[in-house]
Amino acid sequence: MALLGRRKPGFTTTEAVDPRTLSDAVNEDNIVTPCPAAEQAAGQPPVEEPLPANMAQALAQFVRNHSRGGYLVSLAQLSREDPNVPTLYEQMTSDPACGDIRSYKTAKDTYLYEEGIMSELYLMLNALALDGDDVNTIVTLVRYNSKVFPTVTPLDYFFRTPFSMTQEQVDAAVETILATGGELADIAETQAPSGNRYLYSTDHLTPVYAKSLAEFAEAND
Amino acid sequence: MSVQNGINGWAGTVLRVNLTTGSVTREDTLPKYKPYIGGMGIGYKVIWDEVPLDTEPFSEEAKVVFSVGPLTGSGVPCSGRTTITLLSNWSRGKSIVDAHMGGHIAHSIKYAGYDAIIIEGKASKPVYLKIEDDKVSLEDASHVWGTGTFNTNKVLSAECGAEFDVASIGPAGENLVSMSCMITSFGNSGGAGVGGALGAKNLKAIAIRGTGAVKIADPVEHKNLCDYMIRDLVGGNNNHNVPSRPQSWAEYTSTVKNRWQGGPGVMWGAAPDGAIDTGEQPSGQIAVAAYRATKGVFDYGDVVQQYIVKSGGCASCPVRCYSEYNVDILAEYDLPTLVSNTCVPAGSGPTSFYLKDAMHDFKDEGDSKIVLGLHGAYVMDDLGLWENYNNLGREFAWCLKNGVFEKMLPKEEFDSIPWHLMEEGDPRWLDDIMGRIARKEGEISRIGEGSYFFYKAWGLDDASKNEWGVNMYDMIGGNNNVTYNGYPKHHSSEDGWQSGLLYNVMYNRDCMVHVLTNFVRSGSPFNEVIKPVLESYFGEGCVDAPKAYTPINENKVKLAKWCFLQKQWQDSATLCDWMYPMTLSSSPARKYVGDIDLDAKYMTAVTGEEWTMDDILFSAERISNMLRGITAISFKIHENMDNLRKTHDAVPAWVFDKDPDVPAFSEGTDKMDREDWEKSLTMFYEAMGWNVDTGIPTRETLEKFDLGDMADKLEELGLI
Ligand code: SF4
């Protein structure tokens, strides 16, 4: 099935390379300082990974591999790719060997992950990023930062992984948020003396306080 | 052969070099200097015992003390700092100051067998001091005199051998410019006017190689402590304990710009064997600690990643706060492309020499600060010019913006300056303008005398004496003077409420104390981490949330005193003040609680004697009282002032008058309140055992620290 051989963007893919196309620098004969760790590893017996006993456990292993790389597994996306996944998921939840696999539910999807690998915050960030709703991602995190730290949130926060939004995406989402009012009316903008833009929630910060925190966030000596 | 003498921790020997006579003598470090620990403590003891405080700082009679401490070179992380103690030529009162130099030279001094090197006298011609363990000689330096620090360090390294560490002064020091420093062969600087102090002695450089070691009483415990510190406590630079990029293991992501900038997708783009992704850097993993700081991104933003070669740093440091770059754009101007530096000299310092509108991007949006900042750092370092935590730059910028140079410079001089280079945002402008300051060329070079004397010369310290109607100390906006003595704030009330301001006014230069800013700007949330952790150490109300301050209380004063003493301890040990004390931890499992007793554990493991933090802080308090007593005497001698509270510790108006629409102690300002500040001073003096009216240590306090002779001198001068 597609499941075990599948690679998400960002994961390594294996390509067959014709050694004749390599430059001299990387031909084996020219490697004069072999890596000690590689030499040591070459002398060791191969690590035996136990094969999954069934496909539900294979799914669990797939989730673990992703979690260890910092990724959540989208149940909806995987189910679209492989119709067996919903059944396997049901089997997995009742298999004690898969007890470390947890799910994180959002309004849009259910995300699978291995327990104890990712922080609560990262689960939230990752799920928001995968949901792909830029407005909701920004609003949720601006409120979270205003409440928990308390602090204002710089717009470039959303350029970082795992969001990796573009300037255009952020600008469009912020414009929508600030124009929407209603449920989003608590989200406001302030600027640091540098002109950099920050968002905050008026439920937690006053405009005067927010402005001063933007100045604080940038001090650079 | 190294002159190790079998003592644990200390090397055991203080080296004395008299440049006038060429004599080289040695004395035992212990027991004489043990109550002063090492480093700064030794420096203060030497100056107090041997240099009358009316001595001209840049003279044959003055002395300069290079010193390290019992932890230097022991392998304790972040112990590669050298303290240089001297008399100030540039701040009001001409009192005692220290420069703090990183790199590798501290280790070399220690491995050569010395805890301190006392430089006295004046050579009859330019020399450099060559030390190879017990072989000490003065060598001719006429071939490097007049050249920059990069050339000097290169030539002397070639002459002495690649295993020598070299630190030299540049033209600024040779020309007795007050704003001068020395630069090591790894590019680290020690400022505070040390360049001029050595220039006055015709000492161009020190070249040193040590082949010995530091004897450690309990190597197993020492190793365990080092591993524990890097694994469980250390975060990024300044021990900022929360990454600024989301990482899968991290419970928080910093929203303030902090000094843990490495993370997934953050690259050392110009690494020699191809770009390196600094990746995830979980707390608990020793091997990835050095990727965390990636300080260049803090200094310049993401656009700099393409130029980062690697993170450099001091010997024994796993944190590496010193990004090194290859900025190919500079080649277009025939300027060196391999550049490095950190903090003010590499960013806001050099760019202050341009009008804002004159700066332009070179290749990418926002890269003007990179190109101008890093070339400026190169020029300043090569000239051995010190920026006084950028008072130099701020003053230049203000004069430039307000047309002051046009009025104050003779026409011929003004016309001789290639202003078009500045107007074009050309990096070569810095070579010209900084060169004039370093060579004391023309009236414009008065800016190199330092804020205090520069303001006096141009009447900028009195609104009635200049046509711009300003007092540079008091004006709001763009001015950072924290006292009327000629130096700026260094993480003061803007980061650390009354506590930060209290220790900012204690020294005779910018305080260089980072204890508060380290946790305030750590990236941790205030209510969930910073407040509970700090209150567990110092009690309720010891910390305020950023920009939401409260009136002074006893626990804030307790914290202020602790921070103040920590600094004296660190510069004596020697330990890096950017990292210690380990107030917070990066470890979620520890709930971010640091270990503020770690320093004592290191001292016990290294020396084999039982040290507690109380022992350490007692010695630090002795040195703090020496600082205060010496300052009081200097102010009496040079300024005929006998009240430090009203003079040395007076705080400029802007600190109280900023944010005019926001009252002090409300959300939205870090301004101070005058009445509350007076109360803070009184409480702090009481905590230190000083006279609350004058801020001068009482006899009782001085005698508690065996400083009765200092009390006698203060009494003789009518100060106590
Ligand atoms: S943190 Fe920076 S200054 Fe401190 S020891 Fe390390 S490299 Fe040196």
Side-chain angles (χ1 to χ4, degrees):
Chain A
M1 63 184 285
L3 197 61
L4 295 175
R6 181 173 170 272
R7 292 283 184 277
K8 285 188 70 175
F11 275 59
T12 316
T13 54
T14 310
E15 282 176 39
V17 176
D18 179 348
R20 286 166 303 183
T21 64
L22 297 176
S23 75
D24 277 357
V26 292
N27 270 334
E28 208 170 308
D29 291 348
N30 289 327
I31 299 174
V32 286
T33 47
C35 165
E39 281 199 327
Q40 200 188 354
Q44 302 294 321
V47 178
E48 296 288 343
E49 287 263 8
L51 281 175
N54 54 49
M55 290 313 290
Q57 289 184 19
L59 173 61
Q61 193 54 41
F62 178 78
V63 172
R64 287 185 200 106
N65 289 344
H66 276 66
S67 291
R68 290 165 199 181
Y71 287 84
L72 297 179
V73 171
S74 156
L75 195 55
Q77 190 181 338
L78 212 52
S79 303
R80 277 196 297 276
E81 290 180 16
D82 189 330
N84 297 317
V85 165
T87 315
L88 293 177
Y89 173 58
E90 287 308 318
Q91 289 168 6
M92 189 181 75
T93 50
S94 55
D95 184 343
C98 307
D100 57 334
I101 305 301
R102 295 273 180 273
S103 62
Y104 185 97
K105 289 188 174 40
T106 68
K108 290 199 166 181
D109 203 346
T110 295
Y111 300 102
L112 307 181
Y113 64 97
E114 182 187 2
E115 186 181 26
I117 299 289
M118 282 181 228
S119 68
E120 290 288 317
L121 174 71
Y122 202 73
L123 278 174
M124 176 172 78
L125 304 185
N126 235 335
L128 284 166
L130 286 174
D131 273 357
D133 179 341
D134 296 344
V135 166
N136 184 47
T137 297
I138 293 175
V139 168
T140 305
L141 287 166
V142 166
R143 284 182 182 144
Y144 173 87
N145 289 334
S146 292
K147 181 177 176 203
V148 170
F149 278 81
T151 186
V152 291
T153 305
L155 296 193
D156 67 11
Y157 189 89
F158 302 99
F159 299 163
R160 306 171 193 174
T161 57
F163 317 112
S164 305
M165 292 187 200
T166 63
Q167 180 82 56
E168 291 71 30
Q169 268 180 287
V170 172
D171 288 347
V174 170
E175 200 179 319
T176 305
I177 292 165
L178 296 177
T180 299
E183 276 188 0
L184 307 185
D186 65 308
I187 306 298
E189 180 182 338
T190 190
Q191 288 191 358
S194 64
N196 288 342
R197 298 167 71 193
Y198 291 78
L199 296 179
Y200 65 99
S201 164
T202 53
D203 290 348
H204 305 288
L205 303 171
T206 65
V208 172
Y209 192 25
K211 191 168 176 45
S212 71
L213 289 174
E215 183 190 323
F216 177 84
E218 285 197 3
N220 186 20
D221 53 20
Chain B
M1 200 189 102
S2 159
V3 285
Q4 298 292 320
N5 64 6
I7 301 165
N8 294 319
W10 287 271
T13 302
V14 171
L15 182 72
R16 184 182 295 272
V17 179
N18 188 303
L19 299 169
T20 307
T21 62
S23 81
V24 174
T25 53
R26 295 174 173 80
E27 55 203 85
D28 289 341
T29 309
L30 308 179
K32 180 177 178 185
Y33 292 108
K34 192 161 180 194
Y36 308 89
I37 304 170
M40 179 184 188
I42 296 181
Y44 276 46
K45 178 70 174 152
V46 171
I47 297 287
W48 170 243
D49 284 352
E50 304 181 14
V51 184
L53 294 174
D54 57 358
T55 303
E56 184 51 43
F58 288 2
S59 70
E60 179 171 356
E61 294 73 28
K63 299 191 185 190
V64 178
V65 185
F66 290 78
S67 49
V68 294
L71 298 184
T72 315
S74 65
V76 167
C78 311
S79 64
R81 310 282 311 173
T82 309
T83 302
I84 311 170
T85 308
L86 66 158
L87 290 180
S88 162
N89 190 48
W90 54 272
S91 49
R92 179 163 72 158
K94 295 197 166 184
S95 196
I96 197 161
V97 285
D98 309 281
H100 317 100
M101 193 159 67
H104 297 237
I105 206 155
H107 281 49
S108 295
I109 293 172
K110 197 75 179 286
Y111 295 163
Y114 307 108
D115 295 303
I117 303 168
I118 302 170
I119 306 289
E120 52 190 36
K122 177 180 181 180
S124 57
K125 60 177 179 114
V127 294
Y128 73 92
L129 173 62
K130 182 178 177 188
I131 301 172
E132 187 169 19
D133 295 332
D134 56 349
K135 291 201 283 280
V136 180
S137 59
L138 291 171
E139 307 288 339
D140 178 37
S142 48
H143 57 311
V144 284
W145 193 260
T147 72
T149 61
F150 288 105
N151 176 66
T152 303
N153 292 342
K154 191 171 143 195
V155 169
L156 299 189
S157 294
E159 223 164 271
C160 298
E163 289 181 359
F164 278 74
D165 277 299
V166 184
S168 64
I169 65 169
E174 293 174 10
N175 293 312
L176 311 187
V177 172
S178 294
M179 297 292 99
S180 57
C181 63
M182 70 189 309
I183 300 287
T184 73
S185 37
F186 280 82
N188 319 86
S189 61
V194 70
L198 296 180
K201 296 179 172 304
N202 274 333
L203 184 66
K204 177 69 175 171
I206 294 181
I208 185 161
R209 177 182 184 223
T211 62
V214 176
K215 197 160 179 282
I216 294 169
D218 187 344
V220 174
E221 175 64 0
H222 171 271
K223 163 85 167 67
N224 289 340
L225 288 169
C226 293
D227 286 350
Y228 153 67
M229 172 177 161
I230 307 172
R231 189 184 57 233
D232 295 341
L233 301 176
V234 158
N237 181 217
N238 286 48
N239 210 22
H240 286 171
N241 69 332
V242 166
S244 66
R245 320 271 157 164
Q247 299 198 21
S248 65
W249 59 275
E251 291 179 333
Y252 302 108
T253 300
S254 177
T255 56
V256 300
K257 192 175 161 199
N258 79 355
R259 300 188 190 207
W260 183 336
Q261 289 289 330
V266 178
M267 312 297 284
W268 294 359
D273 294 326
I276 293 171
D277 185 335
T278 57
E280 292 235 329
Q281 306 135 357
S283 178
Q285 287 192 16
I286 289 176
V288 295
Y291 285 125
R292 291 182 187 145
T294 305
K295 176 71 170 15
V297 178
F298 173 84
D299 288 331
Y300 301 111
D302 284 336
V303 66
V304 83
Q305 292 180 35
Q306 60 190 303
Y307 302 115
I308 297 178
V309 175
K310 67 180 168 85
S311 285
C314 306
S316 301
C317 179
V319 177
R320 325 303 288 162
C321 74
Y322 205 84
S323 287
E324 297 171 6
Y325 312 85
N326 188 355
V327 183
D328 50 5
I329 298 166
L330 288 165
E332 289 165 28
Y333 296 85
D334 282 333
L335 299 172
T337 64
L338 296 175
V339 282
S340 66
N341 208 313
T342 190
C343 204
V344 167
S348 50
T351 52
S352 310
F353 285 76
Y354 294 84
L355 285 170
K356 248 198 169 126
D357 290 346
M359 288 171 57
H360 61 80
D361 292 332
F362 290 80
K363 186 162 83 82
D364 298 301
E365 195 182 331
D367 68 4
S368 60
K369 192 176 169 194
I370 297 172
V371 177
L372 303 178
L374 282 166
H375 179 59
Y378 179 90
V379 175
M380 286 189 98
D381 286 355
D382 198 39
L383 294 167
L385 202 56
W386 182 55
E387 92 300 340
N388 191 11
Y389 205 49
N390 204 32
N391 254 18
L392 187 75
R394 271 185 296 272
E395 277 144 20
F396 193 94
W398 189 84
C399 291
L400 193 59
K401 195 170 153 204
N402 291 286
V404 178
F405 294 129
E406 214 159 346
K407 295 270 162 66
M408 299 303 293
L409 303 185
K411 182 167 178 346
E412 200 184 334
E413 181 185 342
F414 185 84
D415 291 345
S416 76
I417 296 172
W419 296 106
H420 68 95
L421 289 176
M422 187 279 293
E423 285 153 11
E424 291 156 11
D426 190 313
R428 290 167 296 194
W429 159 249
L430 297 164
D431 298 73
D432 183 282
I433 199 68
M434 289 178 174
R436 288 170 190 255
I437 300 170
R439 291 187 297 270
K440 278 198 176 164
E441 259 175 42
E443 181 66 16
I444 201 166
S445 70
R446 283 202 166 238
I447 207 162
E449 292 176 11
S451 307
Y452 182 71
F453 290 103
F454 170 61
Y455 297 167
K456 265 194 186 314
W458 286 14
L460 296 173
D461 54 352
D462 183 341
S464 68
K465 285 190 189 156
N466 63 75
E467 65 180 82
W468 300 272
V470 297
N471 176 324
M472 290 288 276
Y473 294 109
D474 289 332
M475 72 176 176
I476 302 172
N479 185 293
N480 280 349
N481 283 286
V482 76
T483 64
Y484 293 92
N485 306 329
Y487 40 87
K489 71 176 177 65
H490 196 130
H491 302 293
S492 177
S493 43
E494 83 286 5
D495 277 0
W497 49 96
Q498 299 94 335
S499 307
L501 185 56
L502 281 167
Y503 57 66
N504 258 265
V505 303
M506 287 298 123
Y507 299 84
N508 293 301
R509 60 163 295 178
D510 61 304
C511 70
M512 302 277 282
V513 179
H514 297 90
V515 185
L516 287 181
T517 197
N518 287 2
F519 61 78
V520 168
R521 293 186 169 278
S522 60
S524 287
F526 180 75
N527 289 323
E528 292 184 5
V529 175
I530 296 173
K531 186 174 156 72
V533 173
L534 266 291
E535 289 192 341
S536 75
Y537 302 144
F538 299 103
E540 204 181 331
C542 66
V543 288
D544 283 337
K547 306 273 187 179
Y549 293 173
T550 60
I552 191 69
N553 62 49
E554 270 186 22
N555 290 335
K556 286 187 186 182
V557 173
K558 201 156 112 186
L559 175 63
K561 179 175 175 182
W562 184 75
C563 296
F564 179 47
L565 302 189
Q566 284 286 340
K567 175 66 175 160
Q568 277 67 265
W569 151 245
Q570 289 150 6
D571 289 341
S572 300
T574 55
L575 293 173
C576 173
D577 178 78
W578 282 266
M579 293 303 296
Y580 289 88
M582 292 285 112
T583 313
L584 297 179
S585 143
S586 58
S587 165
R590 289 178 65 94
K591 299 207 177 312
Y592 309 99
V593 178
D595 184 347
I596 57 173
D597 294 326
L598 180 67
D599 314 40
K601 294 172 192 167
Y602 276 134
M603 275 297 274
T604 302
V606 170
T607 66
E609 302 158 6
E610 197 60 41
W611 282 78
T612 64
M613 278 316 290
D614 286 346
D615 300 329
I616 282 175
L617 295 178
F618 184 82
S619 294
E621 195 162 352
R622 171 178 293 117
I623 303 161
S624 309
N625 276 288
M626 295 178 81
L627 164 66
R628 199 64 178 173
I630 291 173
T631 301
I633 295 166
S634 302
F635 265 61
K636 178 70 182 172
I637 292 171
H638 292 284
E639 303 287 338
N640 198 26
M641 290 173 170
D642 33 28
N643 184 316
L644 291 183
R645 179 175 188 141
K646 293 197 175 126
T647 58
H648 181 275
D649 300 350
V651 172
W654 68 271
V655 176
F656 307 101
D657 297 339
K658 64 188 296 198
D659 301 329
D661 301 331
V662 191
F665 307 132
S666 63
E667 284 182 348
T669 185
D670 54 34
K671 77 202 281 183
M672 295 279 100
D673 172 84
R674 286 187 169 83
E675 205 178 308
D676 177 85
W677 172 243
E678 290 304 324
K679 191 173 165 196
S680 307
L681 272 180
T682 300
M683 289 170 76
F684 186 77
Y685 294 156
E686 279 169 354
M688 292 298 301
W690 298 346
N691 181 306
V692 295
D693 295 325
T694 64
I696 296 173
T698 62
R699 173 173 285 281
E700 191 187 355
T701 299
L702 291 170
E703 285 180 348
K704 180 172 149 196
F705 296 103
D706 303 317
L707 299 171
D709 57 340
M710 193 172 275
D712 294 343
K713 184 69 186 173
L714 288 164
E715 196 170 317
E716 183 191 315
L717 293 170
L719 294 169
I720 57 171

